[in-house]
Amino acid sequence: MKTCLFYLTCIVLMVVSALGHECERTCVKGDTRTCMYEFHMQEYHSMGRACFDCPRNMSDCSRPECIAADGVSRPLLAVNRQLPGPGIQVCEGDRVVVDVYNGQLSDSATIHWHGQYMVNQQYNDGVPYITQCPILGAFRYDFVAAQAGTAFWHSHTGLHRSEGVFGAFVVRQAEDPQEVLYDIDSFSGVLVLQDWDHINSYDKFVGRYHSTLDDFARGILVNGKGVNTDAQVAYDMPREIIEVTPGHRHRLRLINAGRLNCPIIVSIDHHQMTVISADGKDIVPTTVDSLVLYSGERFDVTIHANKGVGNYWMRLNGLVDCEQHSCYQGAIIRYSTASEEDPEEPLFYNPNYPPGIVLNPLNSVDGEGQLIMTDLEALESHIVLPAVDKKFYIVFDFNQINNTLFFNPELYPFNAVAEMWQANTPQVNDISFALPSAPPLSQPEALKESICRYGEDPPCVSDYCTCTYTMEVALGETVEMIIIDEGNIGDENHPFHLHGYSFSVVAMGKLGRNTTLADVIALDEAGGIVRKLESPVLKDTVTVPDGGFTIIRFTADNPGYWLMHCHLIFHSELGMSALLHVGEQSDLPPVPEGFPTCGNYLPSL
Ligand SMILES: [Cu+2]
């Protein structure tokens, strides 16, 4: 019965996806709708039978339910047999109802709406064991799309996002303050970027932490498409094509849904980009030659199709974990009257920024021609209050400890194994975040068993400390978070993401190849850190430079339990996370009727 229902739904979905969803429309003031979606999640395969003779017959690669990717056949996890999963494009104020059907053989799921703050609809944030129980069968998300801008959705369970469970979530406005800057904001101008691999993430994760496998990516995809750049012999595959109308200014919405540490440099041959929005929030337009997106970030840009009619490369070059295998990709900016062919210029890996201005460079805060987040201005002017009620120091780093998830301190401790076996543990303030046994939002008593609080001694006896690390804030307090990456190991960075809020990015700095909490505090006390309090950019995800810091501020006006974490999936799943608890249980809307419950069953003997 379940299978029959599934296929019937699929046929309906195919028809719907060919026509476009009824909510995908020009937004008109006063016209808000209820937008219904069905998400069917299932283990699936790229280059499966739906792909027929792809890539020999190139048009077969675009058949419904064919996930061609870069032509490599591998298992994955998909929603509605699509990669990326179905995009949701609605208007501000629409009610979004998504029924998630978990068709996996043995795993649970949740969906997080990255970029929606869920004010008064906290039960929809989609974090397992924090805002809801994991979905075993089916679950309905039902919320108002309250934040306009470019966002995305993804599973927040295990490695799902890494396996393909993500998609665009775009909220347009009837009256967009940036409207004068572009002529066309098409539904197809949404570009979901991701790093890509040729094995599944579970093999990768287990291989990385229980054996000696690397954690490097093997490619980059744009809207699930691209050429295999890791192959000995390259063969053609369909690329993403962005059609532009000569003479017109187009709005493109870029999303990095990536999983490993693969910051992506985006540039377009012979065209500058004007950045108009960061993480869905309007900014004073800033023209650049290239920009970097870290996992979880979004930037909206406009490009002016005012060059010679033709085809131009949009180049995507990966950094850090995308460097070892020289991961790059090309999408095509095609003028509508141009011939259907690839651009003539050679396409190759280049980890250097193209000449000109780069926005958001990796681990650099003051290079020539470089703009960082504190150089941007929010479009709507605002002043950040000079005083804060609560200040938190959040130190990200890899620690060389006996994480009992991979080491046995009695049998094979960290220091007794060869270097190739010494997997480091990503932590926050020397603690590995542990999920409680039930979501505190609806079952607050569950938190008591595992909670440890910021500023208190954690209840740990060994060098591996794990608990539900929580920062407590009263409703309405102003908060400053000084996020530091000590950078002791490697030359990585961490993209920090906070649920439930956008925050002002007031400072960003780098002290050296590595640093310490004490050094950052000393620098700050000596007046060495200037905070930008006039119209700083508002974001929900921001990079923290290696050996440096990023300082954010916000008013804690959204009560609830909000996860904050590194957005790199191996890091967050290993506990580079913490919980922000704002307000009291009485500040929350009532638990929805029939909301599922969960918990451990360990009765006393
Ligand atoms: Cu990280």
Side-chain angles (χ1 to χ4, degrees):
M1 185 61 200
K2 195 178 171 189
T3 318
C4 166
L5 197 69
F6 183 81
Y7 286 110
L8 270 175
T9 317
C10 273
I11 292 162
V12 174
L13 281 168
M14 268 169 59
V15 174
V16 167
S17 74
L19 294 172
H21 195 280
E22 55 158 339
C23 286
E24 225 173 79
R25 66 197 194 276
T26 303
C27 299
V28 176
K29 211 168 181 186
D31 169 27
T32 54
R33 301 186 186 177
T34 298
C35 307
M36 305 279 296
Y37 303 85
E38 283 190 15
F39 279 15
H40 293 269
M41 199 183 293
Q42 182 194 28
E43 291 90 354
Y44 200 51
H45 220 283
S46 61
M47 295 298 283
R49 64 172 66 82
C51 298
F52 284 84
D53 206 21
C54 166
R56 270 188 298 269
N57 180 351
M58 208 65 118
S59 64
D60 278 351
C61 304
S62 309
R63 281 175 177 266
E65 301 192 9
C66 165
I67 295 178
D70 61 356
V72 175
S73 176
R74 57 156 278 191
L76 43 74
L77 191 63
V79 170
N80 300 353
R81 299 184 174 174
Q82 297 172 37
L83 180 74
I88 291 180
Q89 303 202 46
V90 297
C91 295
E92 190 177 30
D94 280 353
R95 179 180 177 186
V96 177
V97 181
V98 184
D99 291 346
V100 177
Y101 294 91
N102 178 12
Q104 297 174 92
L105 292 170
S106 59
D107 200 356
S108 63
T110 59
I111 301 290
H112 169 57
W113 315 91
H114 185 127
Q116 292 295 311
Y117 313 144
M118 298 300 171
V119 179
N120 291 324
Q121 37 194 7
Q122 288 87 336
Y123 301 96
N124 290 283
D125 194 43
V127 183
Y129 300 108
I130 300 293
T131 64
Q132 70 172 100
C133 294
I135 304 168
L136 298 172
F139 184 90
R140 172 168 291 177
Y141 291 96
D142 183 352
F143 59 93
V144 173
Q147 278 76 41
T150 302
F152 70 120
W153 58 264
H154 61 79
S155 173
H156 218 293
T157 295
L159 306 176
H160 286 177
R161 193 181 87 238
S162 183
E163 285 293 273
V165 185
F166 58 83
F169 191 93
V170 174
V171 183
R172 290 184 176 79
Q173 288 168 294
E175 287 163 12
D176 175 9
Q178 302 282 45
E179 210 165 22
V180 292
L181 299 173
Y182 56 88
D183 306 301
I184 297 168
D185 174 17
S186 99
F187 299 115
S188 58
V190 182
L191 303 175
V192 184
L193 317 178
Q194 63 174 113
D195 58 286
W196 177 242
D197 227 303
H198 297 144
I199 62 169
N200 77 55
S201 311
Y202 297 94
D203 288 357
K204 186 114 180 158
F205 182 83
V206 174
R208 172 78 180 87
Y209 291 101
H210 290 282
S211 184
T212 58
L213 206 70
D214 66 67
D215 57 358
F216 309 142
R218 297 298 192 277
I220 291 172
L221 301 178
V222 182
N223 285 343
K225 294 180 206 166
V227 166
N228 180 0
T229 55
D230 200 38
Q232 298 300 315
V233 183
Y235 50 94
D236 233 12
M237 287 296 291
R239 293 179 185 279
E240 181 64 9
I241 295 164
I242 304 126
E243 200 177 276
V244 296
T245 309
H248 285 65
R249 298 161 305 166
H250 288 254
R251 180 177 189 154
L252 302 179
R253 297 164 182 270
L254 304 166
I255 301 163
N256 186 345
R259 45 190 197 120
L260 303 175
N261 197 0
C262 181
I264 298 175
I265 311 170
V266 180
S267 63
I268 301 170
D269 286 1
H270 306 290
H271 293 75
Q272 287 191 307
M273 292 171 284
T274 299
V275 185
I276 62 169
S277 164
D279 291 356
K281 294 287 181 196
D282 295 329
I283 59 164
V284 172
T286 304
T287 298
V288 302
D289 296 280
S290 64
L291 76 157
V292 178
L293 288 98
Y294 301 93
S295 173
E297 284 191 308
R298 295 89 65 207
F299 286 103
D300 290 21
V301 303
T302 63
I303 65 158
H304 197 175
N306 60 357
K307 300 294 185 294
V309 167
N311 292 282
Y312 297 89
W313 287 122
M314 173 185 270
R315 295 175 191 265
L316 304 112
N317 287 286
L319 300 169
V320 195
D321 290 339
C322 269
E323 284 187 37
Q324 291 81 2
H325 289 263
S326 305
C327 303
Y328 69 101
Q329 197 52 266
I332 298 171
I333 302 284
R334 173 167 296 159
Y335 282 54
S336 54
T337 48
S339 54
E340 290 184 13
E341 56 190 18
D342 283 1
E344 279 173 13
E345 289 175 58
L347 188 66
F348 51 89
Y349 179 63
N350 184 359
N352 303 310
Y353 305 116
I357 297 167
V358 55
L359 176 68
N360 211 16
L362 174 69
N363 292 340
S364 173
V365 293
D366 49 12
E368 209 189 310
Q370 298 185 341
L371 296 175
I372 61 171
M373 288 303 108
T374 46
D375 294 319
L376 298 180
E377 298 264 323
L379 184 68
E380 198 179 327
S381 65
H382 66 117
I383 300 290
V384 178
L385 296 173
V388 294
D389 299 314
K390 287 262 166 70
K391 187 183 272 199
F392 296 103
Y393 292 94
I394 297 161
V395 180
F396 277 168
D397 213 356
F398 298 108
N399 289 320
Q400 301 194 309
I401 54 170
N402 282 297
N403 184 333
T404 52
L405 293 175
F406 349 119
F407 294 95
N408 184 324
E410 316 268 283
L411 303 174
Y412 39 93
F414 188 95
N415 287 323
V417 299
E419 201 182 336
M420 64 193 281
W421 294 95
Q422 289 181 328
N424 301 315
T425 297
Q427 293 191 308
V428 173
N429 292 352
D430 296 328
I431 292 170
S432 292
F433 185 75
L435 290 164
S437 59
L441 196 63
S442 50
Q443 297 173 252
E445 69 288 351
L447 198 52
K448 290 188 190 121
E449 300 157 21
S450 59
I451 193 170
C452 60
R453 289 183 179 82
Y454 180 92
E456 294 176 3
D457 280 339
C460 300
V461 285
S462 69
D463 64 349
Y464 174 59
C465 190
T466 175
C467 51
T468 308
Y469 190 49
T470 304
M471 301 181 191
E472 304 274 5
V473 172
L475 188 63
E477 281 188 314
T478 54
V479 179
E480 177 171 273
M481 290 183 177
I482 300 176
I483 313 153
I484 298 164
D485 180 2
E486 290 179 325
N488 288 327
I489 294 162
D491 199 17
E492 294 214 17
N493 68 306
H494 301 278
F496 169 92
H497 173 51
L498 172 64
H499 291 223
Y501 288 90
S502 64
F503 47 73
S504 292
V505 183
V506 298
M508 193 182 270
K510 187 168 162 70
L511 285 82
R513 277 190 68 86
N514 46 42
T515 189
T516 62
L517 170 63
D519 285 349
V520 175
I521 292 174
L523 180 68
D524 201 11
E525 284 176 352
I529 299 176
V530 180
R531 287 164 175 75
K532 178 183 168 64
L533 301 181
E534 274 183 45
S535 300
V537 65
L538 295 163
K539 298 202 84 218
D540 56 51
T541 309
V542 68
T543 185
V544 182
D546 186 82
F549 59 86
T550 295
I551 303 179
I552 64 167
R553 287 205 188 173
F554 57 95
T555 300
D557 52 8
N558 187 11
Y561 291 90
W562 305 109
L563 200 66
M564 39 186 277
H565 58 97
C566 172
H567 209 262
L568 308 179
I569 203 154
F570 287 5
H571 295 180
S572 60
E573 285 310 301
L574 287 172
M576 196 176 244
S577 305
L579 191 59
L580 176 73
H581 178 207
V582 178
E584 305 293 331
Q585 221 65 23
S586 57
D587 296 321
L588 295 168
V591 180
E593 208 185 310
F595 199 66
T597 57
C598 47
N600 292 337
Y601 176 65
L602 295 163
S604 49
L605 292 172

